[in-house]
Amino acid sequence: MTYWAVNAVFLAIVAVVGVLALVTAAVRGRAARASSSPAASTRRRREVVLGAGIATGVLLVMTAVFDNVMIGIGLVGYDASRISGVFVGIAPLEDFAYAVAALVLLPSVWVLLGGPKVPRAPAASPPTKQTAKEARS
């Protein structure tokens, strides 16, 4: 079995969870879009895309650096007959599938678990009865 075959199993599961999260976000987003201005919604979408792009870049660069270090010092090795032969430095391309899976899976699970929580206002405490002494002072 090749590393791509192993990755395909995990990436398929991640893809299913990602699609479920997209559908969930779309359903939840209808109400939010109905109650907010189009400009605010466009600005929010830009912020999300920019944040996701930066996170993707940082994670892929860190994966490239640390995978090359781990392979270079002999901590991890790959059977040459089971890799595609495409490398980023000395790290096989297959190694990046885990980073891509994390980029999709973690935000998807976050969306499916409810996403950001809006803090609730503290409940008003019930009025207390004043004693006669407190009322006089």
Side-chain angles (χ1 to χ4, degrees):
M1 180 180 276
T2 66
Y3 292 111
W4 278 120
V6 173
N7 288 343
V9 173
F10 292 105
L11 291 174
I13 293 168
V14 167
V16 168
V17 174
V19 168
L20 287 173
L22 284 173
V23 169
T24 301
V27 169
R28 288 183 189 153
R30 284 186 191 143
R33 283 189 301 273
S35 65
S36 67
S37 72
S41 167
T42 301
R43 184 174 50 250
R44 177 71 181 138
R45 191 173 299 119
R46 264 193 226 131
E47 290 171 355
V48 168
V49 169
L50 179 63
I54 291 170
T56 299
V58 168
L59 184 61
L60 291 177
V61 166
M62 289 179 66
T63 299
V65 169
F66 289 108
D67 282 3
N68 277 286
V69 168
M70 289 188 300
I71 293 166
I73 64 173
L75 187 61
V76 178
Y78 292 93
D79 183 351
S81 67
R82 296 177 190 255
I83 59 175
S84 65
V86 179
F87 295 92
V88 175
I90 58 174
L93 189 60
E94 292 92 324
D95 227 13
F96 288 83
Y98 304 107
V100 171
L103 285 167
V104 174
L105 187 62
L106 294 176
S108 296
V109 169
W110 183 66
V111 166
L112 291 172
L113 291 177
K117 302 291 184 210
V118 178
R120 293 184 186 183
S125 58
T128 58
K129 292 183 180 180
Q130 291 182 337
T131 61
K133 185 176 181 182
E134 289 173 341
R136 280 185 256 149
S137 47

